[in-house]
Each structure stands twice: as C-alpha cells, then as structure tokens.
Amino acid sequence: DSVQAWLTGELGTSTSEQAEWQADEIYLALPRPGGDAWLSIKLPEGDFEYEHTDRGWIAYFNDLHKGRHTGAAWSWFIDLFAIVCLVFCISGFWLLSRYANLRLSTWPLVSFGLVAPWVLILLFMH
C-alpha cells in the first residue's frame, strides 16, 4: 500500500500488478493501453529506474479494441457491447425475413455480405 502511494505521488502512476522480488531488486511491470512502463528498485539502497513508453494513439485504440491492459470495467463494457451487437444483427435478420418477399434482391445481397468476408479471409490471410 505504501509503494502504491509512493508510485502515485512520485511518478504519477499506479498498478495492480504483483511485484517480482529478488534478493537485490524489486521489479514492477506497469502495462497500460497504448504503452508500457516498468519500475526497478535496487535493494538495499532504494535507487530506482523507471521507464515509460507511449506507442501512440493507434496502439491505444488497438489495445482498447482488444481489451488489453484495460481493467475489468472495460472488459465488461466491450462484452456487453458485443452482446448488444448480436441482438441488433439477429433482429435485423428477423426483419429481413419478414419483409424479404417485397424485394427479390434481399437474400442474394445478404448472402454476398456473409460470404465475401470469409472468401477474403481464406484468400488473403496467411
């Protein structure tokens, strides 16, 4: 707890990660979305090294998309959002099936929209 307070006060960062203890050093990983940091404390002197890396906004949004180093609240949010998207898709298919007889092009277009991404994956992702 006192190390957490020191990290917040001195370096403006915090962590929920467990520290790695060795005879002469404490190492603490400080991962975060779009970047990384680490802290090494030399024992018994108390000298420390701290490195902070920012990989930019593209990496930040990529990590948010994947839920990497984002915490439990964000993980729950993206899971709930995925469920809502599935409900939206299923209700869309239900509406299509209900009104498809009014347009002949409905099911060919829907089939193309479902098959085209799989063809691209099979052909171009190696």
Side-chain angles (χ1 to χ4, degrees):
D1 187 38
S2 61
V3 173
Q4 286 282 26
W6 179 81
L7 276 172
T8 303
E10 292 293 319
L11 303 176
T13 188
S14 63
T15 184
S16 59
E17 302 289 324
Q18 293 293 322
E20 296 177 23
W21 292 80
Q22 296 177 0
D24 61 343
E25 179 182 35
I26 301 170
Y27 178 80
L28 188 60
L30 305 166
R32 60 181 189 82
D36 193 24
W38 57 267
L39 173 69
S40 174
I41 303 171
K42 306 292 182 197
L43 299 176
E45 304 87 24
D47 295 336
F48 70 92
E49 286 183 68
Y50 174 72
E51 183 176 309
H52 177 266
T53 305
D54 185 0
R55 294 187 183 102
W57 64 272
I58 293 175
Y60 178 76
F61 286 117
N62 187 37
D63 287 348
L64 286 181
H65 172 72
K66 294 179 179 183
R68 186 176 20 219
H69 309 303
T70 55
W74 185 259
S75 293
W76 279 100
F77 173 75
I78 61 176
D79 288 345
L80 180 65
F81 193 81
I83 292 168
V84 170
C85 287
L86 284 173
V87 169
F88 182 75
C89 290
I90 291 168
S91 67
F93 278 122
W94 177 75
L95 286 171
L96 280 174
S97 68
R98 190 164 177 198
Y99 297 108
N101 58 356
L102 300 175
R103 294 185 181 187
L104 296 176
S105 64
T106 298
W107 292 116
L109 286 173
V110 169
S111 299
F112 177 75
L114 291 171
V115 172
W118 289 104
V119 170
L120 290 173
I121 288 170
L122 292 172
L123 292 177
F124 298 111
M125 290 185 69
H126 302 241

